[in-house]
Amino acid sequence: MHTLLQHIQKVTGNHEIGDDSILPFFETKTFKKKGILQEEGKRCSSYFFVVKGCLRLFFTDHHGAEQTMQFALENWWITDMDAFRTERQSAYTIQALEEAEVLTITARNYELMLAKLPVMEHYFRLVYERAYAASLLRIRMISRMPKEEIYDLFQSRYPVFIQRIPQKVLASFLGFTPEYLSELRKKKVKKKDKS
Amino acid sequence: MHTLLQHIQKVTGNHEIGDDSILPFFETKTFKKKGILQEEGKRCSSYFFVVKGCLRLFFTDHHGAEQTMQFALENWWITDMDAFRTERQSAYTIQALEEAEVLTITARNYELMLAKLPVMEHYFRLVYERAYAASLLRIRMISRMPKEEIYDLFQSRYPVFIQRIPQKVLASFLGFTPEYLSELRKKKVKKKDKS
């Protein structure tokens, strides 16, 4: 069974759905490390489901620096949702941080699939409910939390990210300088060794 | 027809759904200005749909200051989504900024309603898709945008909020001091008068 089907079954508890009804709406694509899935300023026509690898979504700020807004690991969905829904220009670039395999779906196929398969309405309602809850936590994190607390909360919720994401990219995501993150990690390791 | 039904019809385009099938899952409640709908630290068992009025969701930070995370006007849904889904303690307080009328639904009724009415899966999928897209914009706004740009973007997207929300609360939401917001608004009015 395809990874996506396993995820749908896990999230919805519905085991009657088969590969045949879902996968024809998608295309499989692979990207090398640092490969670009979606480019800032280009029309956003795809929504990505990560089968294997790690992606990030970022934009380039006024100073020319890349600001990472979101990550996606296996079983995560990622796109510029605002642009995808309205088929406008993407405000973000999506890039592979590791060699990646994804399923992509166009806005038109996404609508067709949802109209045809009620289980997918159920699935996406739950996926967005979680994504929305997670984004509230992120807003709370970056708005006023002391930096060390941000790191601890992020580490407790997403330990895998800390392992797989390059230090520089993680620092940008957390709003730290790479130097500060490096110092903080050293401090954490020392504390752990002592305890 | 009830406001909620009108909203469901508008969002989904489905006009076959009636008051009778939806409203029995809800309870109507009214709150005075400054009334508390949900308290930080108490079990979160309700999800609110605003029929009339304006609500805010906030938490109290380490310095004892109230930090506003979200607003809700007519036709908006609001709760601590993470706590509601898991029926845990709420990390936030929800308060009426104006006299308010809301529909409330319990977690159990929410599940029952979604299981019984496929149109509500469709409706909430679309509601969360939007909420998720809006929260990405908010993250982008508060992470590194210059303050004046934050204000301009917020004003262009949510002009009603600027009118209806007390200056102090709006300042906290935007990450400004009330004094800075007041100066900025004066500057904006001057510019407008000149042009």
Side-chain angles (χ1 to χ4, degrees):
Chain A
M1 204 193 331
H2 194 280
T3 317
L4 173 59
L5 268 285
Q6 289 175 21
H7 193 242
I8 296 167
Q9 292 197 355
K10 193 179 149 198
V11 169
T12 63
N14 182 323
H15 293 268
E16 285 160 29
I17 197 90
D19 281 347
D20 298 353
S21 52
I22 307 276
L23 295 181
F25 292 101
F26 292 87
E27 209 180 315
T28 296
K29 285 188 182 166
T30 54
F31 294 87
K32 290 195 178 150
K33 185 172 172 172
K34 299 198 175 175
I36 303 294
L37 288 77
Q38 165 77 48
E39 215 173 326
E40 204 173 324
K42 296 256 171 84
R43 195 164 147 269
C44 175
S45 52
S46 298
Y47 197 5
F48 305 100
F49 175 81
V50 183
V51 178
K52 202 177 165 319
C54 179
L55 311 178
R56 69 163 175 146
L57 179 144
F58 68 91
F59 66 98
T60 308
D61 72 13
H62 300 282
H63 309 290
E66 294 175 356
Q67 302 292 359
T68 299
M69 295 272 297
Q70 220 181 310
F71 298 114
L73 289 178
E74 286 85 10
N75 290 338
W76 288 47
W77 291 88
I78 196 165
T79 191
D80 175 349
M81 183 49 71
D82 207 22
F84 178 71
R85 290 177 63 239
T86 52
E87 295 193 55
R88 267 183 262 166
Q89 287 187 349
S90 176
Y92 305 98
T93 295
I94 300 174
Q95 184 187 38
L97 289 172
E98 304 169 354
E99 199 178 278
E101 183 187 329
V102 299
L103 287 179
T104 80
I105 189 165
T106 62
R108 183 166 157 70
N109 271 354
Y110 176 71
E111 287 309 327
L112 287 174
M113 177 181 71
L114 286 162
K116 197 179 164 190
L117 302 169
V119 64
M120 294 308 280
E121 286 282 10
H122 181 47
Y123 171 69
F124 276 106
R125 193 260 300 166
L126 291 166
V127 163
Y128 293 130
E129 222 176 71
R130 286 174 195 194
Y132 176 54
S135 65
L136 278 187
L137 183 72
R138 172 135 163 76
I139 291 169
R140 180 165 178 158
M141 270 171 54
I142 59 172
S143 47
R144 278 110 185 162
M145 232 180 231
K147 286 188 175 176
E148 202 166 331
E149 265 181 56
I150 295 181
Y151 184 85
D152 290 342
L153 185 60
F154 186 76
Q155 189 178 36
S156 70
R157 293 262 178 156
Y158 308 106
V160 191
F161 284 104
I162 305 270
Q163 311 300 326
R164 286 175 60 179
I165 291 163
Q167 187 120 326
K168 206 182 124 190
V169 175
L170 186 63
S172 138
F173 180 78
L174 295 170
F176 302 168
T177 62
E179 295 72 27
Y180 179 82
L181 178 60
S182 166
E183 284 304 311
L184 195 60
R185 291 179 86 157
K186 274 185 213 153
K187 197 172 126 188
K188 296 280 165 194
V189 172
K190 261 191 203 159
K191 254 192 196 163
K192 222 181 170 184
D193 290 348
K194 270 187 192 163
S195 64
Chain B
M1 203 194 331
H2 194 282
T3 317
L4 174 58
L5 268 284
Q6 288 175 20
H7 193 242
I8 296 168
Q9 292 196 355
K10 192 179 150 203
V11 169
T12 64
N14 182 322
H15 293 267
E16 286 161 29
I17 198 89
D19 280 352
D20 297 354
S21 51
I22 307 275
L23 294 181
F25 291 102
F26 292 86
E27 208 178 316
T28 295
K29 285 188 182 168
T30 54
F31 294 86
K32 290 197 179 149
K33 187 174 171 172
K34 299 199 176 175
I36 301 294
L37 288 77
Q38 165 76 49
E39 215 173 326
E40 203 173 325
K42 296 254 171 86
R43 194 164 147 270
C44 175
S45 51
S46 297
Y47 197 4
F48 304 100
F49 175 82
V50 184
V51 178
K52 202 179 165 319
C54 179
L55 312 178
R56 68 163 176 147
L57 178 143
F58 68 91
F59 68 97
T60 309
D61 72 12
H62 299 281
H63 308 290
E66 294 175 359
Q67 302 293 358
T68 300
M69 295 271 298
Q70 218 181 310
F71 299 113
L73 290 177
E74 286 83 10
N75 290 338
W76 288 45
W77 290 88
I78 196 164
T79 190
D80 175 350
M81 184 47 73
D82 206 24
F84 178 71
R85 291 177 61 239
T86 51
E87 295 192 58
R88 270 182 258 168
Q89 286 187 351
S90 176
Y92 305 98
T93 295
I94 299 173
Q95 185 187 37
L97 289 173
E98 305 169 353
E99 199 178 278
E101 183 188 329
V102 297
L103 287 180
T104 80
I105 189 165
T106 62
R108 186 170 154 69
N109 271 355
Y110 176 70
E111 288 307 327
L112 287 174
M113 177 180 70
L114 286 163
K116 198 180 164 190
L117 303 168
V119 65
M120 294 308 279
E121 287 282 10
H122 182 47
Y123 171 70
F124 275 106
R125 193 259 301 168
L126 290 165
V127 164
Y128 292 131
E129 223 175 69
R130 287 173 195 196
Y132 176 55
S135 66
L136 278 188
L137 184 72
R138 171 135 162 76
I139 290 170
R140 180 164 178 158
M141 271 171 55
I142 59 172
S143 45
R144 276 112 186 162
M145 230 179 231
K147 285 187 176 177
E148 202 165 331
E149 266 182 57
I150 294 181
Y151 183 85
D152 290 342
L153 183 62
F154 186 77
Q155 191 178 34
S156 69
R157 293 262 178 155
Y158 309 106
V160 191
F161 283 104
I162 304 271
Q163 311 299 327
R164 286 174 62 178
I165 291 162
Q167 186 120 327
K168 205 181 125 192
V169 175
L170 186 62
S172 138
F173 180 77
L174 295 171
F176 303 168
T177 62
E179 294 74 25
Y180 179 82
L181 178 60
S182 167
E183 284 304 311
L184 195 59
R185 292 180 84 158
K186 272 185 216 153
K187 198 172 122 188
K188 297 278 164 194
V189 172
K190 261 191 203 161
K191 257 194 197 163
K192 222 181 167 182
D193 290 347
K194 274 187 192 165
S195 63

